[in-house]
Amino acid sequence: MSRRDLVVVVAVVALATTVPGHSAIADEAAPYAVPDFLAVTPPLPAGSDASHAMRLDLAEALRIAVHHNLDIALERKSVTIAELNVVAAEGAFEPTVTASYGHTNVERPPQTVQEGEPGTVFSDRGDSWFVELAQRFTTGTLVDIAWSNGRDKSTAGTAVQPLNYRSFLSARVTQPVLRGFSTDLDVPRASILQAHIASARERGQLAIAMTELVERTELAYWAVLQALFQYDLAVRSAKLADDQMALTKRQIDAGTMPPSDLISAETTVAEHKLGLVTAEAAIQTSSDQLRAVLNLPREDWSRPIVPTDVPTFAPAPTSADDAFAAALKARPELAQLDLDLQSAQLAIRTAENAQLPQLDLGLEGDLTGQDDHYGGALSQVGGLDQRGWSILVNFSWTPLQRATRAATAIAHVRHDVTIAQRAQTVQRVWLEVRDAVRTQDNAERQLVAAAHFRELADKALELEQRKFLNGTSQNLFVAQRQEALANARLAELSALLGHRRATTSLLRASGKLLAARRIKLD
């Protein structure tokens, strides 16, 4: 317990025993109402330029933070990268077109007697062009269509004809039936599925970062408001001290009080002036922290910030079980771990599939055309004059399977680790929810108690001031009652803002904060 808290407790006990007609126990059935001194945003310190102030309600502060905060900007980039990785993974199943062209010009002697006599020089002029279309489907099927053409002009005696055109069209279909294939197509599409899981997980990370930012923004927002209220309460306390010193001077002038009593009043006034300096510095510190969260441009850092929303009290009783049930559905951390489980299960399936032998079935067909005119060669291809087909079977197997078995074992271990991590996270969420519910309940009770204490302190000061006017009290006792009232007001302010913070923490713990603030990831 801090020294200030100890002073408040002692003052409250004294007030409860000295004020006639009041019990020390607050009437918990009475609804709490925000007092007038906390119902309106207090003014800025006298030295601040109020005309240049940045007036923000909480919704606007959250909007600025979400759009300008650097952490969120970086996280959005990560989401974009993850979404592009999905496109890249799908690109593995895009069609591929290959084309080539070649030209040859050769002068050479005959290599055989069939080509010609010694000393003869033959010329070969050739052109070739090739087009291929290959497409891999998510079933694992590979389709390859190739069309090759050639033009050859030769003076060699072994040439088919002096000018020859040849066109060749082939098509091949290859289908894996063991390794690289599954009936639900998850194995051949594993890279795409993993990319989708990673993209969804990154969006969950954005939700986590957004939730943390909203909570930090609200805490910083209320910290600025609390600093302004504390300064306003310090001004009120300083005014009470000034009034008491003026009254003391009149009493001394009237001869009803010795001049030495003025020292006590002046000491109280000096103490409150020091408190004003400290309170004003707290406004600057808390405002800078809010500016940093909002990532305001440097030119706006000289502008005072005035929060226009004041804390309200809206009790919303919630059980830990209800909040935990909501958290299981809405917390992005748990959604991420569910995605990790999906990824681990897919990795197990892929690893187990890799242990199977490689068995591919293929079917290939081809058409050939050849003529001294290119049109004739194409006509033969189109007429299916010269055709052929073949069946292919490719088999490959690693009998020992040391690498694939190790990879499968690793995948199973990682799956077990993910399950354990999820159980740990569920336990942590349960503790967070219970703590948040308990904190909110305690904050509500503290607020009601603080309000009752403040009422007692107010009445006690009024009574002490009457005693002072009647000559039955001293400046010291009046100063003590003023200090007790100031501490009671600060305690109520802290309790009211503490209840608001507790409500925010409970919304975060139950996964409802973004929805409650109407913030969407898009």
Side-chain angles (χ1 to χ4, degrees):
M1 180 179 293
S2 65
R3 182 173 179 271
R4 167 166 286 181
D5 293 337
L6 181 60
V7 171
V8 172
V9 172
V10 173
V12 166
V13 173
L15 293 171
T17 57
T18 55
V19 178
H22 287 82
S23 170
I25 301 177
D27 182 9
E28 296 184 358
Y32 173 79
V34 178
D36 292 339
F37 71 91
L38 296 178
V40 181
T41 303
L44 291 168
S48 302
D49 184 4
S51 63
H52 191 57
M54 178 182 294
R55 300 184 178 276
L56 291 175
D57 58 14
L58 181 58
E60 179 65 11
L62 293 177
R63 188 194 67 80
I64 294 175
V66 167
H67 287 83
H68 294 168
N69 185 268
L70 294 178
D71 293 337
I72 298 301
L74 293 175
E75 195 58 49
R76 289 186 187 277
K77 296 295 184 182
S78 298
V79 171
T80 301
I81 292 174
E83 291 173 348
L84 291 175
N85 283 334
V86 173
V87 178
E90 293 173 344
F93 297 93
E94 292 181 352
T96 301
V97 178
T98 303
S100 64
Y101 169 79
H103 174 75
T104 59
N105 189 341
V106 179
E107 302 287 343
R108 62 181 179 83
Q111 296 178 340
T112 64
V113 294
Q114 288 80 8
E115 286 187 335
E117 298 178 356
T120 306
V121 176
F122 298 104
S123 65
D124 286 324
R125 305 287 185 271
D127 295 277
S128 63
W129 54 99
F130 173 81
V131 177
E132 180 184 30
L133 174 64
Q135 168 75 66
R136 182 180 296 276
F137 295 92
T138 54
T139 58
T141 308
L142 176 62
V143 176
D144 185 285
I145 300 175
W147 183 33
S148 60
N149 297 269
R151 175 184 179 276
D152 187 58
K153 184 178 182 180
S154 175
T155 60
T158 55
V160 175
Q161 49 193 347
L163 180 61
N164 182 61
Y165 287 92
R166 183 180 180 86
S167 183
F168 182 79
L169 179 63
S170 65
R172 174 184 294 185
V173 179
T174 305
Q175 175 64 54
V177 295
L178 292 178
R179 186 190 303 172
F181 178 76
S182 64
T183 55
D184 59 5
L185 305 183
D186 282 353
V187 171
R189 295 187 302 127
S191 60
I192 296 178
L193 296 177
Q194 291 287 16
H196 277 288
I197 291 174
S199 178
R201 195 183 193 285
E202 199 59 51
R203 287 184 63 83
Q205 191 61 37
L206 175 60
I208 293 174
M210 197 85 77
T211 301
E212 293 176 350
L213 174 64
V214 169
E215 186 175 27
R216 284 193 292 121
T217 303
E218 292 197 10
L219 292 178
Y221 184 88
W222 297 124
V224 174
L225 187 65
Q226 183 170 3
L228 287 172
F229 271 122
Q230 287 175 342
Y231 181 83
D232 183 63
L233 291 176
V235 171
R236 293 170 183 262
S237 297
K239 186 179 184 306
L240 289 176
D242 289 337
D243 294 343
Q244 182 64 25
M245 186 174 67
L247 180 59
T248 300
K249 289 180 179 180
R250 290 197 298 270
Q251 295 281 50
I252 293 174
D253 294 339
T256 60
M257 182 176 293
S260 59
D261 283 0
L262 184 60
I263 297 177
S264 176
E266 290 177 339
T267 301
T268 303
V269 170
E271 182 180 2
H272 283 294
K273 287 183 177 180
L274 177 61
L276 284 173
V277 175
T278 303
E280 188 171 359
I283 294 175
Q284 297 297 329
T285 301
S286 59
S287 296
D288 277 355
Q289 292 173 350
L290 179 58
R291 294 182 184 108
V293 173
L294 301 182
N295 191 30
L296 294 178
R298 293 292 181 266
E299 56 269 19
D300 286 340
W301 281 58
S302 59
R303 299 177 60 187
I305 295 180
V306 178
T308 58
D309 281 346
V310 293
T312 56
F313 178 69
T318 303
S319 68
D321 291 334
D322 291 342
F324 181 62
L328 291 179
K329 296 179 180 179
R331 284 287 290 264
E333 298 92 334
L334 295 177
Q336 281 186 320
L337 287 169
D338 290 338
L339 291 170
D340 290 343
L341 281 176
Q342 294 181 27
S343 178
Q345 292 165 357
L346 181 58
I348 289 176
R349 291 198 58 191
T350 304
E352 291 176 344
N353 180 267
Q355 291 183 269
L356 299 175
Q358 181 75 43
L359 179 61
D360 298 338
L361 302 181
L363 176 64
E364 183 176 0
D366 58 74
L367 300 170
T368 305
Q370 180 173 288
D371 202 334
D372 58 351
H373 297 283
Y374 187 50
L378 293 179
S379 177
Q380 293 177 19
V381 171
L384 308 180
D385 295 336
Q386 304 171 75
R387 59 184 180 272
W389 62 272
S390 59
I391 297 176
L392 307 174
V393 178
N394 294 325
F395 179 80
S396 175
W397 183 43
T398 306
L400 298 181
Q401 297 186 344
R402 297 176 61 183
T404 54
R405 287 179 180 177
T408 302
I410 291 173
H412 279 283
V413 171
R414 288 176 175 170
H415 180 264
D416 295 340
V417 169
T418 304
I419 292 177
Q421 289 175 340
R422 191 184 189 282
Q424 286 181 331
T425 303
V426 169
Q427 180 71 5
R428 176 173 57 83
V429 170
W430 169 242
L431 293 177
E432 289 179 2
V433 167
R434 282 181 58 85
D435 182 67
V437 171
R438 183 171 52 251
T439 300
Q440 187 189 47
D441 180 65
N442 291 336
E444 182 175 346
R445 295 166 59 190
Q446 290 173 4
L447 178 57
V448 174
H452 181 64
F453 294 161
R454 187 256 308 159
E455 292 173 358
L456 291 176
D458 197 8
K459 294 180 181 297
L461 175 59
E462 181 181 355
L463 178 61
E464 199 65 41
Q465 287 173 336
R466 291 177 182 176
K467 290 181 179 180
F468 182 81
L469 291 174
N470 295 332
T472 58
S473 182
Q474 301 177 9
N475 273 318
L476 175 61
F477 300 135
V478 174
Q480 289 175 348
R481 298 306 187 201
Q482 289 177 347
E483 180 69 15
L485 177 59
N487 289 332
R489 286 176 171 176
L490 288 175
E492 184 174 2
L493 169 64
S494 298
L496 181 58
L497 290 175
H499 182 269
R500 186 60 187 258
R501 296 186 184 99
T503 301
T504 300
S505 297
L506 179 56
L507 288 173
R508 180 195 58 78
S510 58
K512 299 179 179 179
L513 184 57
L514 294 183
R517 301 299 181 257
R518 298 181 179 180
I519 294 176
K520 298 181 180 180
L521 297 184
D522 294 337

